[in-house]
Amino acid sequence: MRENLLIYTPLLSPRVHYIMGLIFRDLLGVAYQITADVEQYHAFDGAKLFYHTNSPTGKLEVHIAPAGLLTEKSINSHQLRFIDYEGSKAFFPVYAKSADMPFDPFSAAFYLVSRYEEYLPYLKDEHGRFSPDAGIAVQQGFLQVALVNRWALKLGEILKLKFPTLIFNYPRYRFVPTIDIDAAWAYKHKGLIRTLGGYLKDISSGNIAEAKKRTRVLLGLDKDPFDTFDFLYDIHQKYGLRPIFFILFAAYSQNDKNTPTGNLPFRRLLKSLADHAFVGIHPSYASNGSLTLLKSEIDGLSAVLRREITASRQHFLKISFPETYRNLINLDITDDYSLGFAGKPGFRAGICSPFKWYNLEAETETSLTLHPFALMEGTLRDYMNVGPEQAMDFIRPLVDEVKSVNGCFISLWHNESMSEEKRWIGWTRVYSDLVGYASP
């Protein structure tokens, strides 16, 4: 019979239930129960965890002292204190001699995965986003460390030492390549007005070579440089991977410049992609504050593919808590892949495994699953000025970190990044090396 873990805490709350589920069910795969009945806890003859400020009365139990965050009922500013722990940082330290860990991993994990700091006032960047430099992960130097996964595994080790028969079913490492299609083609299928505008821009800037290339592509003499879909199909097939393509399916605007949604070749491309990959919506920059516009984009893509759209990634990675995710839930999106930083690689929520979004404002676990990504190629190339020769030096440690904690490595790439044009010369090899290194 599989042994259960019994967790005692005197105060049950939605936050307690949520984080215990994430740690024990999702990351450790252990059967558990939570109780506030101390008599039931003491009578239990099995693996036990005592989550209380007091010291436990028995010897054979794990003691974690709470820091108090999980029983609060509002969003408050906290003066966080950090300690060194297991080669990295931890916070919400506790001072109980009997505690098996010198901090409250449940409070700290909840603070990270709920994105607690993003509900507090912060200085926004030019796109209204939370800057990585404003977060504790960058300030304390642990953005590239999957702390929540590490803490869960450490807690599993502690439990296993005291209860050797306790059975864990750890998740297996996975790799999910994701591709954003901001522009399916560089020159083709743009429409007459945009094509003429492109020529005018080339000529006015004196870029005759660009005008010539545009002409050769439009005449069918050269392949459009952004048409890298055959390469993507081949490399994903080679490693047995099923990628996810996120499609910008929106009206033209300053920050939304994909092919017109009514274009027949564009629609044929989307149907072709859906034959061998999972396809989600890439909500436009303009839709971030408009539920009506977001709905029209989701409905439009759904009509083309004749299937329900359930996955998304925000264009420009624009996330505003809780509005962005609340809008997605209202439109039946079940999975979002936006959680990461444009400016720096790493783990925005301190975790590299999928998890349910907890709405702090409503104090409830939601149906939306968040899939945090670790790396975007534009982060390296555009924000950090890393060349293709050095790119894998940044990629390998991230993959290694995810593998070491049984997580899910998610990469964010764009079809245009394999164009071998302009700033993307040499990056096709980087993607090939990444896929080879990250594949299980």
Side-chain angles (χ1 to χ4, degrees):
M1 181 177 178
R2 186 176 184 181
E3 184 176 3
N4 286 350
L5 169 69
L6 184 63
I7 302 166
Y8 172 76
T9 181
L11 295 173
L12 295 175
S13 72
R15 295 183 182 185
V16 167
H17 283 289
Y18 168 76
I19 204 64
M20 297 298 177
L22 172 61
I23 298 295
F24 294 107
R25 180 192 63 234
D26 300 339
L27 299 184
L28 293 179
V30 64
Y32 75 97
Q33 292 178 301
I34 308 175
T35 184
D37 184 340
V38 69
E39 293 184 1
Q40 176 192 1
Y41 177 79
H42 288 312
F44 183 72
D45 185 22
K48 297 194 289 187
L49 188 148
F50 194 66
Y51 188 53
H52 197 296
T53 52
N54 295 340
S55 298
T57 56
K59 292 183 179 180
L60 195 59
E61 53 196 312
V62 170
H63 180 211
I64 301 296
L69 182 66
L70 301 188
T71 51
E72 292 182 1
K73 296 182 179 180
S74 57
I75 303 171
N76 304 304
S77 179
H78 290 264
Q79 294 296 320
L80 299 177
R81 288 175 293 165
F82 295 86
I83 61 172
D84 293 322
Y85 182 73
E86 297 283 314
S88 189
K89 295 289 184 179
F91 52 106
F92 288 113
V94 295
Y95 304 99
K97 291 183 179 180
S98 60
D100 286 281
M101 299 177 82
F103 71 106
D104 179 358
F106 303 124
S107 287
F110 180 81
Y111 191 91
L112 288 172
V113 299
S114 69
R115 302 310 301 133
Y116 199 102
E117 62 186 349
E118 297 193 43
Y119 285 82
L120 302 172
Y122 61 85
L123 187 64
K124 298 180 180 180
D125 71 7
E126 68 272 24
H127 298 294
R129 303 174 300 195
F130 182 87
S131 168
D133 293 328
I136 58 172
V138 170
Q139 294 169 5
Q140 296 295 323
F142 61 78
L143 183 60
Q144 282 80 48
V145 183
L147 283 182
V148 176
N149 299 78
R150 287 191 179 194
W151 295 336
L153 291 176
K154 183 62 180 180
L155 189 56
E157 291 177 10
I158 294 170
L159 284 164
K160 194 71 174 176
L161 282 173
K162 292 195 177 184
F163 307 103
T165 59
L166 191 62
I167 298 174
F168 298 89
N169 185 24
Y170 297 106
R172 300 173 69 178
Y173 166 77
R174 293 187 299 126
F175 168 46
V176 179
T178 68
I179 310 293
D180 289 355
I181 302 182
D182 299 347
W185 295 282
Y187 306 118
K188 294 171 64 176
H189 309 304
K190 297 287 188 178
L192 180 61
I193 294 176
R194 287 175 63 184
T195 298
L196 290 175
Y199 274 114
L200 287 173
K201 182 179 178 181
D202 296 340
I203 294 170
S204 63
S205 63
N207 196 343
I208 304 304
E210 182 76 3
K212 288 181 177 180
K213 184 167 186 62
R214 187 185 302 273
T215 300
R216 290 187 61 84
V217 169
L218 293 176
L219 291 175
L221 301 174
D222 289 340
K223 188 177 183 180
D224 191 288
F226 287 6
D227 183 0
T228 59
F229 302 107
D230 289 341
F231 163 77
L232 289 169
Y233 174 81
D234 289 342
I235 192 167
H236 295 144
Q237 286 289 108
K238 177 181 178 181
Y239 290 95
L241 300 169
R242 185 173 173 84
I244 306 175
F245 286 89
F246 292 102
I247 313 300
L248 181 61
F249 196 84
Y252 181 86
S253 69
Q254 181 180 355
N255 293 301
D256 305 307
K257 299 179 180 179
N258 207 347
T259 306
T261 58
N263 180 269
L264 291 180
F266 182 47
R267 291 179 169 229
R268 284 196 293 267
L269 171 66
L270 301 186
K271 292 176 181 178
S272 174
L273 293 175
D275 287 339
H276 60 82
F278 192 78
V279 175
I281 190 71
H282 197 33
S284 68
Y285 192 99
S287 75
N288 192 258
S290 171
L291 184 63
T292 301
L293 191 55
L294 176 60
K295 183 178 187 304
S296 70
E297 294 174 10
I298 294 173
D299 289 346
L301 181 59
S302 178
V304 170
L305 299 180
R306 296 183 179 179
R307 65 183 65 178
E308 188 178 4
I309 302 300
T310 59
S312 70
R313 173 182 285 131
Q314 295 293 307
H315 195 25
F316 280 71
L317 305 176
K318 281 174 65 67
I319 304 174
S320 298
F321 286 91
E323 295 83 7
T324 300
Y325 289 149
R326 190 172 58 208
N327 286 345
L328 294 176
I329 291 173
N330 287 338
L331 295 175
D332 299 321
I333 296 296
T334 60
D335 296 82
D336 185 73
Y337 290 75
S338 308
L339 198 60
F341 287 127
K344 284 184 169 61
F347 310 104
R348 181 169 177 168
I351 187 171
C352 59
S353 301
F355 64 98
K356 294 294 185 182
W357 174 51
Y358 187 92
N359 185 345
L360 261 181
E361 197 173 78
E363 288 293 356
T364 185
E365 179 178 342
T366 72
S367 60
L368 181 66
T369 300
L370 305 184
H371 301 258
F373 71 88
L375 175 77
M376 178 175 71
E377 90 283 50
T379 304
L380 298 178
R381 171 62 186 84
D382 299 331
Y383 286 84
M384 300 172 62
N385 200 30
V386 172
E389 299 81 7
Q390 296 81 37
M392 286 302 297
D393 294 337
F394 292 85
I395 294 170
R396 289 189 196 94
L398 289 169
V399 176
D400 293 343
E401 175 70 10
V402 177
K403 286 182 176 179
S404 72
V405 296
N406 312 310
C408 178
F409 183 79
I410 300 177
S411 60
L412 192 174
W413 231 254
H414 296 77
N415 57 298
E416 63 192 77
S417 308
M418 275 71 73
S419 65
E420 292 299 319
E421 296 259 339
K422 301 173 184 176
R423 75 188 203 276
W424 293 118
I425 293 174
W427 285 84
T428 304
R429 168 58 64 183
V430 176
Y431 190 69
S432 298
D433 291 345
L434 179 153
V435 172
Y437 192 79
S439 293

